[in-house]
Amino acid sequence: NAGVTQTPKFQVLKTGQSMTLQCAQDMNHNSMYWYRQDPGMGLRLIYYSASEGTTDKGEVPNGYNVSRLNKREFSLRLESAAPSQTSVYFCASSELRTGGNQPQHFGDGTRLSIL
Amino acid sequence: GDSVTQMEGPVTLSEEAFLTINCTYTATGYPSLFWYVQYPGEGLQLLLKATKADDKGSNKGFEATYRKETTSFHLEKGSVQVSDSAVYFCALGVGDGGFKTIFGAGTRLFVKA
């Protein structure tokens, strides 16, 4: 019953450092997403991958890059971390099917602090 | 553009009180509507959903009805418990291929014993 697994769970970086957040899902879902959650702002979409081999920008893509490594894995990279990127990051996945939007399944998040 | 507006929190209730969290949306076409719940330290979990007008989603005593005429999807529960304390997100499913979701800002619920 793993669902969506995110690593690491916590991370502290210094400004300018780089890191990659990992995400894997075992539900054979086509679509995967990266969000950030900030107090009072709900979830904002950073990047998404509708299916293996495709990625697209969401609402707040600046300062991030993504890689859809295979159907299971979707990573998020911060090339040069900035304090404004301090947030909780969530990965999610969903089926891609016609006839109405499918619910998303979320990991437990990565809590990232940039000093 | 497409958007979701939900009531600001926090909402504080006593155990066994009636809960309503308002949610309205703006969208073209016929979106799907969702309520998600987030417990402390966890990711969001689907609570219920509705895919067409007049559908009622329900789960764990929570209900919401898809009202196209008022563009609303209000969450209700007849008798809340302390364990219902969490953040609740209303969400709208949109996009080509039907896979993008827009989330409201969330409403924090505190239930006192």
Side-chain angles (χ1 to χ4, degrees):
Chain A
N1 271 5
V4 178
T5 302
Q6 292 184 235
T7 55
K9 294 189 184 303
F10 302 94
Q11 185 70 48
V12 179
L13 294 178
K14 294 180 180 178
T15 297
Q17 287 185 316
S18 63
M19 82 161 294
T20 300
L21 280 61
Q22 307 287 352
C23 175
Q25 53 91 9
D26 62 1
M27 294 171 284
N28 202 36
H29 286 166
N30 285 298
S31 302
M32 297 185 74
Y33 314 80
W34 277 105
Y35 295 92
R36 59 178 290 172
Q37 183 178 33
D38 301 293
M41 300 187 75
L43 275 76
R44 292 183 291 170
L45 183 64
I46 304 171
Y47 271 92
Y48 64 97
S49 172
S51 59
E52 187 178 358
T54 69
T55 61
D56 286 286
K57 295 178 180 179
E59 182 184 355
V60 288
N62 292 345
Y64 305 95
N65 285 300
V66 291
S67 295
R68 183 73 183 267
L69 304 170
N70 48 55
K71 191 171 185 179
R72 291 185 65 249
E73 299 173 286
F74 188 39
S75 63
L76 178 72
R77 183 162 178 82
L78 286 70
E79 290 291 352
S80 178
S84 61
Q85 294 178 305
T86 293
S87 188
V88 182
Y89 291 85
F90 287 99
C91 178
S93 69
S94 69
E95 296 181 23
L96 180 62
R97 163 194 317 175
T98 58
N101 299 81
Q102 302 305 310
Q104 297 188 5
H105 299 255
F106 286 80
D108 285 339
T110 294
R111 285 145 185 84
L112 182 62
S113 293
I114 316 294
L115 304 178
Chain B
D2 302 317
S3 65
V4 176
T5 302
Q6 61 182 106
M7 65 187 289
E8 290 189 24
V11 173
T12 303
L13 296 174
S14 298
E15 208 166 22
E16 299 184 1
F18 185 86
L19 169 70
T20 300
I21 300 178
N22 290 336
C23 172
T24 58
Y25 67 90
T26 301
T28 56
Y30 301 93
S32 297
L33 298 172
F34 306 90
W35 277 101
Y36 287 83
V37 59
Q38 183 180 32
Y39 299 103
E42 299 183 7
L44 279 68
Q45 306 172 25
L46 178 69
L47 181 59
L48 52 85
K49 71 173 185 177
T51 58
K52 61 182 187 297
D54 300 324
D55 266 2
K56 177 185 282 187
S58 61
N59 186 26
K60 300 180 182 179
F62 292 89
E63 294 182 341
T65 301
Y66 189 148
R67 301 287 187 200
K68 191 165 177 63
E69 65 276 12
T70 55
T71 61
S72 65
F73 192 55
H74 304 321
L75 182 68
E76 296 181 337
K77 186 175 185 182
S79 176
V80 294
Q81 305 300 312
V82 172
S83 57
D84 293 327
S85 298
V87 181
Y88 293 82
F89 292 88
C90 185
L92 176 70
V94 294
D96 294 340
F99 57 84
K100 289 178 65 177
T101 302
I102 296 171
F103 292 86
T107 302
R108 183 174 296 277
L109 171 66
F110 293 105
V111 180
K112 301 180 298 184

